[in-house]
Amino acid sequence: KGALHAAHLARENPVVHFARATEAVMASEAIQVVVRVRPPNNKEKSEGTLPIVTTSTERREVCLIRGTGHRAQRNIFKFQNVFGSFSTQQDVFDSTMLPILGDVLRGYESTLFAYGQTGTGKTHTIEGRIDIPEEMGIIPRAAEHIFTALQGEHVLESTCTVSYLEIYNEVLHDLLSPADEPGAKLAIVDDSKQGKGVHCAGLLTHEVNTPEDVLRILRAAQDRRKIGETKMNKESSRSHCLFTLTVNLREKTPDGMEIARVGKLHMVDLAGSECAKTSGVGAQDRTRMREAMNINQSLLTLGRVITSLREKQGRIPYRDSKLTRLLQESLGGRCKTCIIATLSPSILCCEESLSTL
């Protein structure tokens, strides 16, 4: 279960273009990208749709078949790691997040993204079913691991805080502000001179002392997230959600010295991506069209930022979206980034899956 290296991030269609980002991350040790294919859902089973995506965890390959008979085309894609439909939440956590947590406890910032077409299991991967232990996603598992690590004898004192930010149509919302209060107006500010760097001013932080505290906060935030029905998913996430866990600790080194560290872990559930044709969104639905435009633009910017970091370009377009602006200090450099791309196996999602791959 050693640290994995980077391997994937692509979206080559009018919705969002990640093709160059794929090439950029393949050779980067600071960025790892993996693919997870979910099992067929109830709709796909009831309609008897054909699965066209297969995986090989040993060869770390994803195969997508287009067409039938002599016209069938096999498209094979290799990645650093691949999770098939029988993979468990624990499997994904052990191979993606677990290697990152060591860096967080050493005082670095790290980020994990879940990216993919709507309805392919991004939120399941990030949050999961928090009332069923084996179905818990990356956030509750990461919290449990960190609190266990902080019980070590070398840790003299520690505090953990969390925040949960939603970016909907490029507007910032605090998912943890009281439901009956409007909350402070949020804004992205750069307080580098004060040592705070780029952050979201007005965003509430809550101190947590146990994994159960994190679960309670997740429950409180789940009902407040912006979702909407599309042709592909009745409860499609229409916003990016950024859950941040900050760890402040003071520990004693083997030679008796005391060191203070501050680590941050950002876990991002990206909005569901899909083109207007497959989502069923028409020009008459202005709300959904605006959502799609903002989602696609921010995903496009994310791809450009990753490409620019890898190619060491002079200008990194962090400011082109609020998501990348907020994560400016958490991408590239010594920071670790993990991207989990999620796929459906169904023929109904053929073009979207191919675009992602």
Side-chain angles (χ1 to χ4, degrees):
K1 298 178 182 178
L4 300 174
H5 302 302
H8 158 277
L9 185 57
R11 184 86 181 162
E12 190 178 10
N13 63 12
V15 172
V16 58
H17 178 70
F18 274 166
R20 291 185 65 207
T22 303
E23 299 173 0
V25 301
M26 286 292 286
S28 172
E29 294 186 357
I31 302 175
Q32 62 158 312
V33 188
V34 304
V35 175
R36 186 181 194 184
V37 180
R38 66 159 172 77
N41 59 28
N42 292 333
K43 177 182 177 182
E44 292 162 353
K45 290 178 180 177
S46 63
E47 295 181 359
T49 58
L50 294 174
I52 59 167
V53 177
T54 59
T55 61
S56 172
T57 55
E58 292 183 359
R59 295 191 300 273
R60 298 180 180 180
E61 291 180 352
V62 177
C63 177
L64 184 147
I65 301 175
R66 303 178 69 191
T68 59
H70 67 280
R71 287 190 166 185
Q73 295 181 351
R74 291 171 57 86
N75 300 270
I76 297 177
F77 304 86
K78 288 182 175 290
F79 302 99
Q80 287 299 107
N81 211 345
V82 172
F83 300 97
S85 58
F86 293 104
S87 63
T88 66
Q89 296 283 65
Q90 188 68 49
D91 293 336
V92 176
F93 173 80
D94 287 345
S95 296
T96 59
M97 178 54 72
L98 194 56
I100 290 176
L101 292 180
D103 279 357
V104 174
L105 292 169
R106 285 189 290 270
Y108 295 100
E109 290 196 37
S110 296
T111 306
L112 182 141
F113 296 97
Y115 163 79
Q117 179 188 8
T118 181
T120 53
K122 296 182 303 300
T123 302
H124 175 72
T125 298
I126 291 290
E127 292 187 3
R129 300 179 64 179
I130 59 179
D131 294 321
I132 303 176
E134 60 269 21
E135 292 297 320
M136 287 183 178
I138 286 175
I139 292 177
R141 291 175 187 272
E144 182 176 3
H145 181 87
I146 285 176
F147 282 114
T148 299
L150 293 177
Q151 299 302 313
E153 294 182 357
H154 63 288
V155 178
L156 302 177
E157 62 177 337
S158 64
T159 58
C160 295
T161 59
V162 299
S163 64
Y164 212 168
L165 177 68
E166 177 184 57
I167 305 176
Y168 175 68
N169 283 336
E170 288 298 286
V171 177
L172 307 176
H173 301 276
D174 189 345
L175 291 176
L176 301 184
S177 64
D180 55 349
E181 297 180 12
K185 185 176 181 180
L186 306 181
I188 300 175
V189 297
D190 187 351
D191 285 340
S192 298
K193 294 182 180 180
Q194 303 297 324
K196 294 183 179 180
V198 178
H199 67 284
C200 182
L203 183 66
L204 297 178
T205 59
H206 294 253
E207 184 172 341
V208 289
N209 300 301
T210 65
E212 288 71 29
D213 289 344
V214 175
L215 295 182
R216 174 177 49 81
I217 285 175
L218 287 177
R219 292 188 188 98
Q222 282 179 340
D223 294 337
R224 306 190 63 186
R225 184 172 182 181
K226 301 293 188 302
I227 62 173
E229 181 174 354
T230 72
K231 182 179 177 182
M232 303 303 293
N233 187 8
K234 285 189 176 182
E235 295 185 349
S236 173
S237 300
R238 311 312 293 163
S239 61
H240 306 311
C241 285
L242 171 60
F243 185 92
T244 299
L245 174 63
T246 304
V247 181
N248 289 266
L249 64 91
R250 185 168 60 89
E251 63 179 343
K252 181 177 289 187
T253 64
D255 56 7
M257 295 181 60
E258 292 187 8
I259 298 179
R261 306 181 191 273
V262 180
K264 283 189 177 183
L265 177 60
H266 307 286
M267 291 165 279
V268 187
D269 185 2
L270 295 171
S273 62
E274 58 187 16
C275 64
K277 180 176 67 174
T278 57
S279 65
V281 175
Q284 70 279 4
D285 193 339
R286 295 184 179 180
T287 299
R288 291 287 176 264
M289 287 294 291
R290 184 187 176 200
E291 289 174 349
M293 289 175 61
N294 283 306
I295 289 169
N296 299 337
Q297 181 59 42
S298 61
L299 293 176
L300 172 63
T301 301
L302 177 60
R304 286 173 173 165
V305 165
I306 293 173
T307 299
S308 299
L309 286 170
R310 175 56 187 159
E311 296 179 355
K312 298 180 180 180
Q313 298 177 4
R315 177 186 178 275
I316 311 297
Y318 292 116
R319 294 177 179 269
D320 289 358
S321 84
K322 291 186 177 179
L323 176 66
T324 51
R325 178 64 170 147
L326 279 170
L327 296 174
Q328 177 174 339
E329 298 177 3
S330 305
L331 299 171
R334 179 63 178 81
C335 302
K336 293 292 180 65
T337 301
C338 176
I339 302 159
I340 303 177
T342 57
L343 295 175
S344 162
S346 173
I347 193 173
L348 297 176
C349 305
C350 177
E351 295 305 320
E352 291 288 335
S353 296
L354 184 61
S355 297
T356 299
L357 293 168

